[in-house]
Amino acid sequence: MRPEMFAMVMATGIVSISAADHGFGIISVPLAALAVVALPVLMYLAAVRWRTFDLRDIDTVLGLFTYVAACAVLASRFADHPIAVWGLGAMGLAGWLSLVPMLLARMWRLGPTRLRDRARGTWELASVATSGLAIVFVAERILFWALIFWGCALVAYCVMTSLIAWRALGEPQARRNVPPDHWILMGGLAIATLAGEHIHAALPPGPLADAVRIVTIATLAVATVQIVPLAITSWRQMLDWPAVFPLGMYSAATFAMMLETGWRPLAVVSLVFFWIAFAAWLAVAVSVTRRLIRLTSEHGLRPE
């Protein structure tokens, strides 16, 4: 069991949000229900297997940020239910407060060169989770901390992306073999855009709101620029949860930007990416189900 197992909840939750944005309740509701069931199940499995996680490994710590992001995504999905928002937000924040000190300690121990040698797309999960909590703070009307967390998310994204780019420049092999988790490079900016749009909508008109708007336009633009290179280099590896989440998040981010700016073409972009994300979700779900059936069959667990 991998530390980033909560990516399934992230992907399912964000596709549910995107479906709701476009009025596809028949898709959104079952996906939301599945995510709600999957989160406690995965929490139980993680608790059972906790001793197998090497928390001295930076990849393990960063993978566990999927738990924080999953809580934040579900809180956003149920934003109309204050109890759910506060409960899931508290769970996510507790996880974030536990993981960040461990992450900083391991980054300090490794140093710049060894960080570069190990950097990968999954490392953007720290930024993704932090942006997710910024959205939760907006839902709870705590704008000060929403801005702080959003700023931290952008800083974390810049740091991790710099390390990944540094590694790619020095290792041609890393450029040729792009794993599916590199889609989180785009997803990190997409969720930062979504967080910025939520913050902008909650702020009164003024210089701060204008600055937030400029940053969100920039993050969406950079996320958009990344899509084609990622599609070219890793389209065959899209069938995994780390690739599904960014596609759904891009749909949600462009929809939020459309609502805030009135740029109607973004609604079409959002709809297209929703269907791409949903198709990818279905493909991954089928693949995972087939693997589970095969594993249970090999271990003699399939019912006669």
Side-chain angles (χ1 to χ4, degrees), residues 53 76 78 83 97 104 137 139 141 179 238 242 268 274 277 283 291:
F53 294 150
S76 298
F78 296 101
I83 294 177
L97 291 172
L104 294 176
F137 278 121
R141 302 185 183 279
M238 288 176 62
V268 177
F274 159 69
R291 287 202 300 267

Side-chain angles (χ1 to χ4, degrees), residues 9 12 30-41 74 77-78 88:
V9 179
T12 304
L31 289 179
L34 177 60
V36 167
V37 172
L39 180 61
V41 170
L74 276 184
R77 174 60 181 84
F78 296 101
L88 289 164

Side-chain angles (χ1 to χ4, degrees), residues 74 80 98 105 124 159 176 184 191 257 274 300:
L74 276 184
D80 294 334
S98 300
E124 302 288 7
V159 170
R176 287 194 295 268
I184 306 176
I191 193 171
M257 181 70 80
F274 159 69

Side-chain angles (χ1 to χ4, degrees), residues 48-225:
V48 170
R49 300 293 300 276
W50 186 255
R51 292 182 182 274
T52 66
F53 294 150
D54 183 8
L55 294 177
R56 296 168 298 179
D57 184 0
I58 190 171
D59 288 319
T60 300
V61 174
L62 283 159
L64 288 171
F65 273 96
T66 55
Y67 166 74
V68 179
C71 291
V73 169
L74 276 184
S76 298
R77 174 60 181 84
F78 296 101
D80 294 334
H81 304 276
I83 294 177
V85 173
W86 281 94
L88 289 164
M91 290 165 56
L93 182 60
W96 189 90
L97 291 172
S98 300
L99 292 170
V100 166
M102 288 192 283
L103 173 60
L104 294 176
R106 281 142 190 79
M107 291 182 72
W108 179 265
R109 187 180 71 241
L110 287 172
T113 304
R114 285 193 290 172
L115 284 172
R116 174 205 61 193
D117 294 340
R118 299 184 60 177
R120 47 185 295 216
T122 306
W123 288 25
E124 302 288 7
L125 286 168
S127 174
V128 169
T130 308
S131 285
L133 287 177
I135 296 173
V136 174
F137 278 121
V138 175
E140 295 171 347
R141 302 185 183 279
I142 309 175
L143 287 183
F144 174 78
W145 285 109
L147 282 164
I148 295 296
F149 269 67
W150 186 53
C152 290
L154 293 172
V155 170
Y157 183 87
C158 291
V159 170
M160 298 306 188
T161 303
S162 297
L163 290 169
I164 294 169
W166 188 11
R167 180 182 181 184
L169 289 173
E171 296 182 17
Q173 187 72 13
R175 295 195 297 271
R176 287 194 295 268
N177 299 321
V178 180
D181 63 20
H182 273 52
W183 278 92
I184 306 176
L185 285 163
M186 184 271 281
L189 286 176
I191 193 171
T193 301
L194 186 61
E197 285 302 320
H198 278 73
I199 292 170
H200 180 269
L203 287 171
L208 181 57
D210 293 340
V212 170
R213 166 53 50 79
I214 291 171
V215 174
T216 55
I217 291 174
T219 54
L220 183 62
V222 177
T224 302
V225 169

